[in-house]
Amino acid sequence: MRSPPRRAGPSVAAILCALLAVTAAGSTGAVAASVPAALSFDSPTSTTTLPGTTTTSSTTSTTSTTSPTTTTTTLTPAPVASTTTSSSTTTTTLDPVALANLIQGLGSDVAEAQAVSDYLAARAAASTLGNGLALSGTADPVLVEAAAAQLRAANAQAAAQERFRQAERGIAQVALDLYVSDQPPDAGAAIIDTSADRSAFLDSILQGEEQQAKQAKQQLVQADAEASESRQQADQLVQARTAQLQAIAVQSADNAARAASTAGGGGAPGGATVPPASLLTQESPSILGPSVLTGDELVGWYQSSGRQPNLTVPIAQLATDFESVGAAAGVRADLAFAQSVLETDYFGFPSFGQVAVTDNNFAGIGACDSCSTGLHFPDALTGVEAQMQLLHGYATTSQPFPGPVPGPITVTGCCVTWMALSGVWATNPNYGVEILTLYRSMVQWALRRRTAAARL
């Protein structure tokens, strides 16, 4: 059979137009003087800058108004605490509205972070089900089913995306082979006898590829819609779990607010009654309890600050020490880490402080307003153990957690919450506020990454 005559096919521009027509639907996406000197603590004297917040301790920046008999000092970290000093007494006043906003906002962030963490655990459990493994007894079946549906939809979406990409490549390859390179087709060559035959045959092949691409595109659009619906359903479940955790976390605070409704609490937005600051302090995050953030998240947040640690061990090792010792002591290690960030100016150990980097002292232990130095610990782990030992001792009168700090803790059980440490662990009346503000930035950082990992 004679070779078919060569036909001048469509121009390259025409071929690209045909390819673009298929994809035109768009792309897809997707420390205080009142305690013994050996156990007194120095309040931080540095300025701490948080994402979106500027915090300055009372020892470095204040606004003072002086009258013949009194001096009123308003602290700048947040509009939470103010100190009034007369000739005989010093009174610190906490703004209950500002404090309530901080505690409630932090509680909301923590609840959502825990809910997203629960969903991530459900995703892991759903993956094991896909591998034929038994469902873990600790996983919530409702969350697991939602996670499994989301995984199935995501897999279908990925498969549809790949089919569409293959179809696009098919069109381009056919166009190149048949029209540009003029390679004869393997199939159907025997029926080509004329130029018209060749033209019709090549057009039919390209049209077939275009049809497959259109079908793949329709499948992809449907897969995208199903994946979006599964994400919305999962997000609704996570929000419901968040609400449950929030309700549990604030139940006692609500009870305190009702009990204090006639006790002179300040006004709150929306006309709600806010309990006195003393009650809010009691309802702030507890010292004892499990951590919300992992060691890896502590490291990630710290690195995101852009600060360089001045430590005797890598920051990752220090975070691991906080995580392990905190779990053993029953102390919230993530909040203890925030306390240390505040005390050491982001583990920078400024030269004007009483504690040097080689002291491995991360909480101003043994330092005080009238002291020259703090305690020294031989290594970072021992320093963390000392901090956890004291936090445990301050928070409870139960069996003490063993640690390297000498002598008994004479103020055992004085401070159940982190807010209660203000004026006890540190003379700074805003000490607890600064810790919680710093911690909230850590939780919010971790929440964003957990949500992204959960594909919510």
Side-chain angles (χ1 to χ4, degrees):
M1 183 180 71
R2 61 184 174 88
S3 299
R6 177 168 180 151
R7 168 183 177 266
S11 67
V12 173
I15 295 169
L16 292 177
C17 287
L19 178 60
L20 290 173
V22 180
T23 59
S27 60
T28 59
V31 148
S34 62
V35 299
L39 294 180
S40 59
F41 302 81
D42 186 24
S43 59
T45 58
S46 61
T47 299
T48 303
T49 302
L50 306 177
T53 305
T54 300
T55 306
T56 308
S57 70
S58 60
T59 58
T60 59
S61 178
T62 59
T63 301
S64 301
T65 303
T66 305
S67 66
T69 57
T70 63
T71 298
T72 301
T73 302
T74 303
L75 305 173
T76 58
V80 175
S82 61
T83 301
T84 302
T85 303
S86 66
S87 58
S88 59
T89 62
T90 298
T91 303
T92 298
T93 303
L94 291 174
D95 177 0
V97 175
L99 183 55
N101 289 337
L102 172 61
I103 294 174
Q104 292 169 5
L106 176 56
S108 178
D109 293 338
V110 167
E112 187 171 2
Q114 291 174 322
V116 176
S117 182
D118 289 344
Y119 186 70
L120 285 171
R123 281 178 63 90
S127 297
T128 63
L129 289 177
N131 295 327
L133 301 178
L135 175 63
S136 170
T138 60
D140 186 316
V142 175
L143 289 180
V144 171
E145 177 54 36
Q150 187 184 18
L151 288 173
R152 288 192 298 268
N155 290 337
Q157 183 182 36
Q161 289 171 340
E162 180 58 28
R163 285 193 299 269
F164 181 60
R165 284 192 292 264
Q166 289 177 352
E168 288 181 312
R169 290 193 295 265
I171 293 176
Q173 190 62 50
V174 165
L176 290 172
D177 288 348
L178 301 184
Y179 292 113
V180 178
S181 301
D182 196 29
Q183 295 181 7
D186 294 331
I191 67 173
I192 298 177
D193 188 48
T194 67
S195 176
D197 291 339
R198 177 180 176 83
S199 176
F201 180 66
L202 298 184
D203 287 346
S204 68
I205 293 177
L206 184 58
Q207 289 173 4
E209 294 292 338
E210 291 173 345
Q211 185 61 31
Q212 291 183 22
K214 290 179 181 179
Q215 292 176 351
K217 181 66 175 180
Q218 293 172 351
Q219 293 172 352
L220 178 55
V221 170
Q222 181 179 356
D224 286 343
E226 293 174 351
S228 177
E229 182 180 358
S230 69
R231 283 194 299 270
Q232 291 176 359
Q233 292 174 348
D235 185 64
Q236 290 173 358
L237 284 174
V238 169
Q239 294 305 315
R241 176 59 57 89
T242 299
Q244 292 174 352
L245 293 173
Q246 286 175 327
I248 294 172
V250 304
Q251 183 177 10
S252 58
D254 289 344
N255 292 336
R258 286 193 294 270
S261 59
T262 59
T273 300
V274 176
S278 58
L279 290 178
L280 285 168
T281 296
Q282 297 171 19
E283 299 303 333
S284 70
S286 62
I287 291 176
L288 301 182
S291 293
V292 173
L293 307 180
T294 67
D296 288 342
E297 289 173 329
L298 297 179
V299 174
W301 169 84
Y302 180 84
Q303 292 174 337
S304 74
S305 72
R307 305 292 288 266
Q308 296 298 319
N310 183 20
L311 297 165
T312 59
V313 295
I315 186 67
Q317 180 59 54
L318 185 66
T320 298
D321 291 342
F322 268 86
E323 192 172 26
S324 60
V325 179
V331 172
R332 297 182 63 167
D334 49 1
L335 267 155
F337 189 88
Q339 178 190 32
S340 292
V341 171
L342 178 66
E343 286 277 0
T344 64
D345 189 21
Y346 282 73
F347 300 114
F349 292 92
S351 59
F352 53 78
Q354 297 180 15
V355 176
V357 57
T358 52
D359 288 326
N360 294 297
N361 185 339
F362 309 111
I365 301 173
C368 66
D369 293 346
S370 60
C371 302
S372 59
T373 62
L375 295 185
H376 169 81
F377 303 105
D379 50 56
L381 178 60
T382 305
V384 174
E385 290 172 341
Q387 184 176 351
M388 299 300 180
Q389 172 193 4
L390 292 177
L391 285 170
H392 182 276
Y394 275 48
T396 181
T397 58
S398 65
Q399 182 68 28
F401 179 73
V405 179
I409 300 175
T410 59
V411 289
T412 56
C414 66
C415 308
V416 175
T417 70
W418 292 93
M419 277 296 302
L421 292 177
S422 301
V424 181
W425 191 293
T427 54
N428 177 8
N430 250 355
Y431 188 67
V433 170
E434 293 179 5
I435 292 175
L436 297 186
T437 302
L438 182 59
Y439 179 62
R440 188 179 184 188
S441 76
M442 297 163 63
V443 172
Q444 290 175 336
W445 181 92
L447 176 57
R448 290 192 295 269
R449 277 141 190 84
R450 290 185 185 184
T451 301
R455 300 180 183 178
L456 296 173

